[in-house]
Amino acid sequence: MTTGESFTPVADIGEFGLIERVQQRLTAGTSTDLLTGIGDDAAVYRVADGKVHIVTTDALIEGVHFDRTFVPMRHLGFKALAVNVSDIVAMNGTPRFATIALGLPHNISVEMAEAFYDGLDEAATLYGVTIIGGDMTASQRLVISVTVIGEAPEERVVRRSGARPGDLICVSGDLGSSFAGLKVLLDQKKRMEREGDAFKPALDDFPYVIRRHLRPAARLDLVRGWEQAGVRPNALIDISDGLASELHHLCKQSGTGALVHAATIPIDLETRHVADQVGEDVDTFALFGGEDYELLFALSEDDLERLPSDSFTVIGHFTPPDEGIQLKTPEGGTIPLDAQGYAHFGG
Ligand SMILES: [Mg+2]
């Protein structure tokens, strides 16, 4: 390293800090067709009068995002597409096309690659996506990069920035189950390393949470339901890094505060059992555990009756910005809710 040249570790500023810094260096794009650029779940640009395309890209890296000892290739293929579809859904769009780039290490066989693409194809069928191309290259470890292109009528697009004080904070499905599944799988891996050949996997006790971790579903069904009901949330994000972190994104970009009632956060019984077994607080699973890929959205109170009540849960409401982001605990106290979800660079 040249003396005098500064070296700032990425962990010092974190993933979001780095995105902000590189964004300032990208000065070339001046297209007036760009409606939403860096900083939302996906980018949105106009392709025709009243019609937009929505584009997202995400990389999954072996050893960072997944561990091949307990992630079957078929599930990995399914998940790689589903998590990108989730970002299109998080703009209230419909996914259409995808490209796949793979970095393949020597220890991946043809059969394993085929299983990966079978999983991709399964997700593509489920979400109505056509895979139109990609790239393959040699790599030190398995690297998966997926780009999905979606579309929407311009007036249907929902950004992170539209929540207003008084709006209801809503989530789909249940939270913390993917993290619980990861806990079970990591525990099994530890036992496998300890017990060697004598090891017998015991995964039958927690089938739901394991599936939630290995094969998360994108909530395209909700977006379709909103369209049918003629409802459009005011703000929307998918929960990839944990409820607390995503709520901070919505509040920051909308200029609001929030009050969440911890007791109302939907948590599956199986998730509670895993938390009990490992002696941890299940609320931390739901607030800070990532990869649930459920939707977090702001809904006007007037729209509440227009949606099927079993499709989401109200967990609080948005407040004026000076009230901050607060959590009402089951004991009745109110504490500030930190964003400390999953930090990609250990920041
Ligand atoms: Mg997202």
Side-chain angles (χ1 to χ4, degrees):
M1 198 199 310
T2 325
T3 14
E5 212 173 279
S6 63
F7 183 94
T8 310
V10 173
D12 283 7
I13 59 171
E15 180 194 1
F16 301 122
L18 184 60
I19 291 170
E20 272 173 30
R21 282 185 53 160
V22 299
Q23 203 174 346
Q24 289 163 15
R25 309 186 82 83
L26 301 174
T27 57
T30 53
S31 170
T32 52
D33 287 326
L34 181 67
L35 302 176
T36 301
I38 298 166
D40 215 307
D41 290 277
V44 182
Y45 56 88
R46 193 181 289 121
V47 287
D49 228 11
K51 187 180 170 186
V52 299
H53 276 181
I54 305 168
V55 179
T56 182
T57 191
D58 236 327
L60 294 174
I61 315 289
E62 181 178 358
V64 178
H65 299 97
F66 61 90
D67 182 335
R68 267 204 293 132
T69 46
F70 57 71
V71 180
M73 290 299 282
R74 190 182 173 111
H75 288 350
L76 197 54
F78 184 95
K79 185 170 181 172
L81 189 61
V83 302
N84 278 277
V85 166
S86 182
D87 274 326
I88 301 291
V89 163
M91 304 303 293
N92 205 23
T94 302
R96 294 295 313 279
F97 300 102
T99 61
I100 321 293
L102 280 189
L104 290 168
H106 292 303
N107 57 7
I108 297 278
S109 66
V110 172
E111 291 75 15
M112 290 157 87
E114 284 176 336
F116 176 85
Y117 277 88
D118 285 345
L120 266 181
D121 193 57
E122 206 183 323
T125 305
L126 186 60
Y127 301 120
V129 172
T130 303
I131 294 170
I132 54 173
D135 186 29
M136 287 188 200
T137 167
S139 172
Q140 298 287 340
R141 43 167 113 171
L142 184 56
V143 176
I144 305 156
S145 178
V146 177
T147 298
V148 175
I149 301 161
E151 62 183 30
E154 189 173 334
E155 77 277 1
R156 292 290 305 168
V157 171
V158 181
R159 298 175 176 78
R160 295 177 175 181
S161 53
R164 298 163 307 196
D167 282 354
L168 302 168
I169 303 172
C170 305
V171 292
S172 62
D174 65 87
L175 300 182
S177 48
S178 175
F179 188 69
L182 177 64
K183 285 264 181 194
V184 173
L185 291 166
L186 285 172
D187 177 64
Q188 293 285 312
K189 186 188 177 187
K190 232 187 271 166
R191 280 189 40 213
M192 183 178 79
E193 285 163 356
R194 210 169 44 221
E195 296 167 20
D197 289 344
F199 172 74
K200 283 199 189 65
L203 301 171
D204 296 346
D205 291 347
F206 302 109
Y208 174 68
V209 296
I210 290 172
R211 191 178 166 85
R212 289 276 288 174
H213 184 73
L214 296 179
R215 276 176 58 102
R219 299 306 306 266
L220 185 58
D221 56 321
L222 260 88
V223 164
R224 291 185 174 141
W226 295 337
E227 195 178 1
Q228 271 169 14
V231 168
R232 187 183 159 281
N234 295 329
L236 173 61
I237 192 169
D238 68 330
I239 304 179
S240 54
D241 292 350
L243 173 64
S245 171
E246 312 303 357
L247 187 61
H248 271 259
H249 288 309
L250 285 189
C251 288
K252 188 179 175 196
Q253 297 201 25
S254 296
T256 65
L259 178 66
V260 171
H261 298 262
T264 61
I265 298 173
I267 298 173
D268 189 83
L269 198 58
E270 213 177 286
T271 306
R272 293 183 189 279
H273 288 160
V274 173
D276 285 348
Q277 202 168 72
V278 296
E280 288 178 38
D281 179 7
V282 76
D283 286 338
T284 65
F285 283 22
L287 288 167
F288 308 117
E291 298 205 292
D292 284 314
Y293 297 100
E294 292 295 342
L295 297 180
L296 172 66
F297 53 100
L299 197 66
S300 301
E301 207 149 355
D302 301 341
D303 287 335
L304 188 60
E305 300 298 315
R306 298 166 68 187
L307 292 179
S309 60
D310 58 353
S311 67
F312 67 100
T313 307
V314 178
I315 60 166
H317 61 276
F318 289 92
T319 58
D322 54 316
E323 292 180 27
I325 302 171
Q326 307 283 333
L327 181 74
K328 195 154 199 127
T329 65
E331 294 76 34
T334 303
I335 55 171
L337 177 59
D338 294 334
Q340 51 175 270
Y342 176 64
H344 293 288
F345 293 107

